[in-house]
mmCIF file of all heavy atoms in Angstrom:
data_model
loop_
_atom_site.group_PDB
_atom_site.id
_atom_site.type_symbol
_atom_site.label_atom_id
_atom_site.label_comp_id
_atom_site.label_asym_id
_atom_site.label_seq_id
_atom_site.Cartn_x
_atom_site.Cartn_y
_atom_site.Cartn_z
ATOM 1 N N GLN A 344 3.021 -20.131 -2.843
ATOM 2 C CA GLN A 344 4.240 -20.838 -3.241
ATOM 3 C C GLN A 344 5.466 -20.286 -2.518
ATOM 4 O O GLN A 344 6.347 -21.055 -2.100
ATOM 5 C CB GLN A 344 4.412 -20.723 -4.751
ATOM 6 C CG GLN A 344 3.393 -21.522 -5.552
ATOM 7 C CD GLN A 344 3.472 -21.274 -7.048
ATOM 8 O OE1 GLN A 344 4.145 -20.363 -7.514
ATOM 9 N NE2 GLN A 344 2.779 -22.096 -7.817
ATOM 10 N N ALA A 345 5.527 -18.960 -2.357
ATOM 11 C CA ALA A 345 6.648 -18.347 -1.655
ATOM 12 C C ALA A 345 6.665 -18.763 -0.186
ATOM 13 O O ALA A 345 7.729 -19.044 0.381
ATOM 14 C CB ALA A 345 6.580 -16.833 -1.788
ATOM 15 N N LEU A 346 5.492 -18.790 0.443
ATOM 16 C CA LEU A 346 5.409 -19.184 1.839
ATOM 17 C C LEU A 346 5.841 -20.631 2.018
ATOM 18 O O LEU A 346 6.565 -20.974 2.962
ATOM 19 C CB LEU A 346 3.985 -18.992 2.364
ATOM 20 C CG LEU A 346 3.460 -17.554 2.425
ATOM 21 C CD1 LEU A 346 2.032 -17.544 2.957
ATOM 22 C CD2 LEU A 346 4.344 -16.681 3.283
ATOM 23 N N GLU A 347 5.398 -21.477 1.103
ATOM 24 C CA GLU A 347 5.749 -22.900 1.199
ATOM 25 C C GLU A 347 7.255 -23.104 1.037
ATOM 26 O O GLU A 347 7.841 -23.967 1.716
ATOM 27 C CB GLU A 347 5.003 -23.674 0.111
ATOM 28 C CG GLU A 347 5.188 -25.173 0.168
ATOM 29 C CD GLU A 347 4.360 -25.902 -0.872
ATOM 30 O OE1 GLU A 347 3.300 -25.378 -1.283
ATOM 31 O OE2 GLU A 347 4.785 -26.987 -1.285
ATOM 32 N N LYS A 348 7.864 -22.314 0.210
ATOM 33 C CA LYS A 348 9.296 -22.463 -0.062
ATOM 34 C C LYS A 348 10.182 -21.810 0.996
ATOM 35 O O LYS A 348 11.211 -22.363 1.410
ATOM 36 C CB LYS A 348 9.629 -21.900 -1.439
ATOM 37 C CG LYS A 348 11.064 -22.113 -1.882
ATOM 38 C CD LYS A 348 11.260 -21.625 -3.305
ATOM 39 C CE LYS A 348 12.705 -21.862 -3.766
ATOM 40 N NZ LYS A 348 12.912 -21.385 -5.173
ATOM 41 N N HIS A 349 9.774 -20.616 1.464
ATOM 42 C CA HIS A 349 10.662 -19.820 2.315
ATOM 43 C C HIS A 349 10.188 -19.687 3.763
ATOM 44 O O HIS A 349 10.983 -19.277 4.625
ATOM 45 C CB HIS A 349 10.830 -18.416 1.715
ATOM 46 C CG HIS A 349 11.402 -18.435 0.329
ATOM 47 N ND1 HIS A 349 12.751 -18.673 0.078
ATOM 48 C CD2 HIS A 349 10.821 -18.250 -0.883
ATOM 49 C CE1 HIS A 349 12.952 -18.620 -1.240
ATOM 50 N NE2 HIS A 349 11.810 -18.379 -1.829
ATOM 51 N N TYR A 350 8.927 -19.976 4.035
ATOM 52 C CA TYR A 350 8.381 -19.789 5.382
ATOM 53 C C TYR A 350 7.534 -20.997 5.760
ATOM 54 O O TYR A 350 6.317 -20.896 5.921
ATOM 55 C CB TYR A 350 7.553 -18.510 5.457
ATOM 56 C CG TYR A 350 8.329 -17.262 5.085
ATOM 57 C CD1 TYR A 350 8.227 -16.727 3.798
ATOM 58 C CD2 TYR A 350 9.155 -16.651 6.018
ATOM 59 C CE1 TYR A 350 8.960 -15.590 3.453
ATOM 60 C CE2 TYR A 350 9.878 -15.498 5.684
ATOM 61 C CZ TYR A 350 9.788 -15.000 4.402
ATOM 62 O OH TYR A 350 10.515 -13.879 4.063
ATOM 63 N N LYS A 351 8.177 -22.131 5.894
ATOM 64 C CA LYS A 351 7.457 -23.381 6.145
ATOM 65 C C LYS A 351 6.687 -23.339 7.468
ATOM 66 O O LYS A 351 5.692 -24.035 7.648
ATOM 67 C CB LYS A 351 8.420 -24.565 6.119
ATOM 68 C CG LYS A 351 9.020 -24.809 4.730
ATOM 69 C CD LYS A 351 9.841 -26.079 4.702
ATOM 70 C CE LYS A 351 10.502 -26.279 3.345
ATOM 71 N NZ LYS A 351 9.527 -26.372 2.242
ATOM 72 N N ARG A 352 7.133 -22.531 8.400
ATOM 73 C CA ARG A 352 6.435 -22.385 9.686
ATOM 74 C C ARG A 352 5.452 -21.222 9.672
ATOM 75 O O ARG A 352 4.860 -20.873 10.692
ATOM 76 C CB ARG A 352 7.451 -22.164 10.818
ATOM 77 C CG ARG A 352 8.400 -23.345 11.034
ATOM 78 C CD ARG A 352 9.342 -23.064 12.175
ATOM 79 N NE ARG A 352 10.256 -24.171 12.409
ATOM 80 C CZ ARG A 352 11.208 -24.183 13.343
ATOM 81 N NH1 ARG A 352 11.356 -23.127 14.137
ATOM 82 N NH2 ARG A 352 12.006 -25.230 13.486
ATOM 83 N N GLY A 353 5.258 -20.641 8.513
ATOM 84 C CA GLY A 353 4.338 -19.506 8.384
ATOM 85 C C GLY A 353 5.090 -18.199 8.365
ATOM 86 O O GLY A 353 6.221 -18.095 8.858
ATOM 87 N N PHE A 354 4.471 -17.196 7.752
ATOM 88 C CA PHE A 354 5.091 -15.875 7.671
ATOM 89 C C PHE A 354 5.151 -15.252 9.084
ATOM 90 O O PHE A 354 4.196 -15.371 9.846
ATOM 91 C CB PHE A 354 4.290 -14.963 6.736
ATOM 92 C CG PHE A 354 4.979 -13.659 6.470
ATOM 93 C CD1 PHE A 354 6.068 -13.609 5.613
ATOM 94 C CD2 PHE A 354 4.526 -12.487 7.066
ATOM 95 C CE1 PHE A 354 6.720 -12.395 5.364
ATOM 96 C CE2 PHE A 354 5.161 -11.285 6.826
ATOM 97 C CZ PHE A 354 6.266 -11.232 5.975
#
Side-chain angles (χ1 to χ4, degrees):
Q344 291 173 348
L346 294 180
E347 185 176 333
K348 185 175 181 180
H349 301 285
Y350 301 99
K351 294 187 183 300
R352 297 181 180 179
F354 188 75

